[in-house]
């Protein structure tokens, strides 16, 4: 009897041990990223919450790969997955004691560095990780490379909750991606105001009635050869009931960060087309696209759909893109730009010369036009080198059969020098500031009157 009882008890203990083992296994699974084997989003966030709760100081870094999507698109998911595993292996090999490295999204990772590391030490750690991860990978006889940027924030000096720390590390990462690609940036508490403003803008965008609050101003593009305005660039404005008139670079960036950009672009483009429909057929419209717009196939198709439904000839519509907009996903961007051109629209490379590798993009992208950045134009009256550069770019565009626009021409002095270089188009305060649609229409009508007056004596003769 006693033996039977002992056996039953032992069986029960066995069953409990097994259940515990299974539970531990399930727990491990729930906390592990299935692809790479490192802690997943849930585990990373739990760890951060725990450290915050225990009031233990630590640094949190968000590490993001540049160009991963392109590799995934071009070489397929299997190569993409292999690359992600190799990235994790490189990070693990850094072997810094106490540091946790986890994957919280597609190509987004988090580093947790417990303890009170100095800023310099954390920066060094981040830079080492970036250096290791960005070395080329040999995968199936191919050499593949990804760029890496990282943003860090510190508990408790920069934030007192996981959400705040994430927000600040993400803000630092955004700065890194925008201005210091391939570097590790620590959140700067002096930027607290800037970030608060960005968050305020994001909130107002979320809550606003964008359909009524967003509108466009139009800035003329003047052809010195034809001595007339041939088109207008649409420039976004946002009159927020909460924040007042918000600068486009601020709210476009906020919309990109918070995932509202497609909605914003969609509304603006519809308004742009409605205005274009009221203009004479020889006037065109240039419209700015953000990087998020251009890397989204369905969205680009929806813009083309809008054009078709409007009945406006696509040849009157030009899309402006910047080098930074196409950089993160050059292959998709190229395909999308080709699709826009294939439908009859034009494509212009904006802010030419303000980036690092503008010339490379002339070769890589299907373009009709180049807009030379106003930072060059500003310098032309005082610098022969700048004048030579602008002249060289105009010459190059001509050879490549690209039209060339000089941006930001403000004074007669600048124009006198620039006119000699025979650019195709000029855009700047000298020929008109961004204006409301009615004023643009008035400008067009005045111009038509002037031109017909000029040509009528000839006709009569
Ligand atoms: P951008 O595309 O380079 O637009 C030209 C900017 O230069 C405009 O500023 C315009 O007002 C300004 N500008 C034009 N002529 C002169 C001049 O002679 N002197 C000076 N100092 N400035 C001049 P704005 O309207 O503030 O736009 C700033 C940027 O915001 C734009 O730069 C563009 O990158 C972005 N943006 C504007 N509208 C949109 C939009 O609808 N979508 C997207 N994605 N971005 C937009
Ligand atoms: Ca532009
Ligand atoms: Ca520009």
């Amino acid at each position: 009897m006693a033996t039977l009882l002992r056996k039953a008890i032992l069986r029960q203990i066995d069953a409990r041990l097994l259940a515990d083992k299974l539970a531990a296994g399930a727990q491990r699974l729930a906390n592990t990223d299935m692809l790479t084997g490192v802690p997943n989003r849930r585990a990373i966030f739990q760890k951060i919450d725990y450290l915050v709760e225990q009031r233990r100081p630590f640094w949190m870094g968000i590490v993001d790969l540049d160009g991963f999507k392109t590799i995934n698109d071009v070489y397929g998911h299997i190569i993409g997955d292999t690359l992600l595993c190799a990235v994790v292996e490189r990070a693990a090999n850094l072997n810094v004691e106490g540091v946790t490295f986890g994957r919280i999204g597609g190509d987004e990772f988090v580093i947790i560095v417990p303890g009170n590391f100095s800023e310099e030490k954390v920066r060094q750690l981040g830079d080492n990780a970036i250096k290791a991860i960005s070395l080329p990978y040999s995968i199936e006889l191919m050499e593949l490379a990804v760029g890496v940027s990282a943003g860090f924030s510190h508990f408790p000096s920069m934030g007192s909750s996981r959400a705040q720390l994430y927000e600040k590390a993400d803000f630092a990462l955004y700065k890194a991606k925008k201005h210091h690609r391939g570097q590790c940036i620590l959140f700067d508490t002096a930027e607290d105001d800037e970030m608060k403003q960005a968050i305020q803008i994001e909130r107002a965008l979320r809550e606003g009635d964008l359909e009524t609050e967003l509108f466009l101003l139009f800035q003329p593009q003047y052809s010195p050869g034809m001595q007339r305005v041939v088109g207008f660039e649409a420039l976004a404005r946002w009159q927020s009931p909460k924040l007042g008139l918000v600068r486009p670079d601020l709210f476009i960036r906020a919309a990109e960060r918070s995932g509202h950009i497609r909605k914003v672009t969609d509304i603006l483009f519809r308004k742009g087309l409605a205005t274009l429909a009221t203009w004479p057929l020889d006037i065109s419209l240039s419209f700015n696209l953000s990087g998020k717009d251009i890397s989204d196939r369905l969205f680009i198709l929806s813009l083309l759909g809008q054009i078709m439904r409007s009945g406006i000839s696509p040849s009157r519509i030009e899309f402006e893109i910047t080098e930074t907009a196409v950089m993160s996903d050059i292959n998709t961007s190229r395909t999308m730009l080709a699709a826009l051109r294939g439908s009859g629209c034009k494509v212009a490379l904006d802010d030419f010369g303000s980036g690092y590798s503008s010339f490379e993009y002339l070769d890589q992208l299907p373009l009709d036009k180049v807009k030379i950045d106003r930072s060059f134009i500003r310098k032309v009256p005082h610098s022969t080198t700048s004048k030579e550069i602008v002249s060289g770019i105009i010459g190059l565009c001509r050879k490549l059969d690209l039209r060339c626009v000089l941006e930001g021409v403000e004074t007669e002095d600048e124009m006198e020098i620039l006119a000699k270089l025979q650019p195709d188009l000029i855009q700047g305060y000298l020929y008109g500031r961004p204006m409301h649609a009615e004023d643009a229409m008035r400008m067009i009508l005045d111009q038509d009157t002037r031109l017909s007056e000029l040509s009528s004596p000839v006709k009569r003769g």
Side-chain angles (χ1 to χ4, degrees), residues 215-217 219-220 233-237 246-253 256 261 264-265 268-269 286-293 320-322 325 350-351 371 373-374 377-378 406-411 414 427-434:
F215 63 100
L216 288 168
L217 293 183
Q219 186 177 33
E233 175 177 0
L235 293 160
R237 296 292 180 266
V246 188
R247 276 174 34 205
D249 43 344
L250 290 183
F251 76 78
I252 295 286
R253 200 184 311 157
E256 281 176 350
I261 188 65
V264 167
T265 308
L268 290 169
F269 190 58
S286 297
F287 188 85
N288 294 283
L289 288 182
S290 101
K292 291 259 161 46
D293 299 328
E320 299 192 3
I321 42 118
T322 60
D350 203 356
D351 301 347
K371 300 186 78 176
D373 194 61
R374 68 170 182 273
I377 309 302
R378 227 17 19 91
L406 305 188
E407 281 197 297
V409 180
E410 290 184 359
T411 64
E414 285 167 354
Q427 185 182 339
Y429 293 169
L430 180 65
Y431 290 104
R433 291 193 175 236

Side-chain angles (χ1 to χ4, degrees), residues 55-118:
R55 313 254 358 118
R56 295 201 200 155
F58 67 97
W59 286 91
M60 156 182 191
I62 306 179
V63 178
D64 191 275
L65 306 183
D66 300 322
F68 174 73
K69 192 174 174 302
T70 305
I71 291 183
N72 226 7
D73 287 350
V74 174
Y75 301 105
H77 291 285
I78 294 178
I79 299 285
D81 286 355
T82 312
L83 181 68
L84 288 176
C85 292
V87 163
V88 165
E89 204 178 312
R90 293 261 176 95
N93 283 344
L94 288 171
N95 232 345
V96 189
E97 217 188 298
V99 168
T100 308
F101 187 79
R103 178 169 173 236
I104 59 162
D107 59 350
E108 200 170 58
F109 301 87
V110 161
I111 303 182
I112 303 172
V113 190
N116 256 329
F117 269 46
S118 67

Side-chain angles (χ1 to χ4, degrees), residues 440-459:
M441 187 60 160
R442 201 165 304 128
M443 188 175 218
I444 297 168
L445 294 176
D446 287 352
Q447 161 171 286
D448 284 351
T449 315
R450 181 174 54 82
L451 289 176
S452 64
E453 274 170 13
L454 275 178
S455 60
S456 49
V458 180
K459 268 190 207 147

Side-chain angles (χ1 to χ4, degrees), residues 345-364:
C345 300
K346 301 207 167 61
V347 173
L349 185 61
D350 203 356
D351 301 347
F352 187 82
S354 64
Y356 309 104
S357 46
S358 305
F359 285 98
E360 205 180 308
Y361 290 99
L362 287 189
D363 188 35
Q364 292 197 15

Side-chain angles (χ1 to χ4, degrees), residues 204 208-215 237-241 271:
D209 175 10
L210 300 181
E211 193 70 48
T212 46
E213 292 162 23
L214 287 170
F215 63 100
R237 296 292 180 266
W238 178 32
Q239 184 70 48
S240 155
K271 295 194 174 189

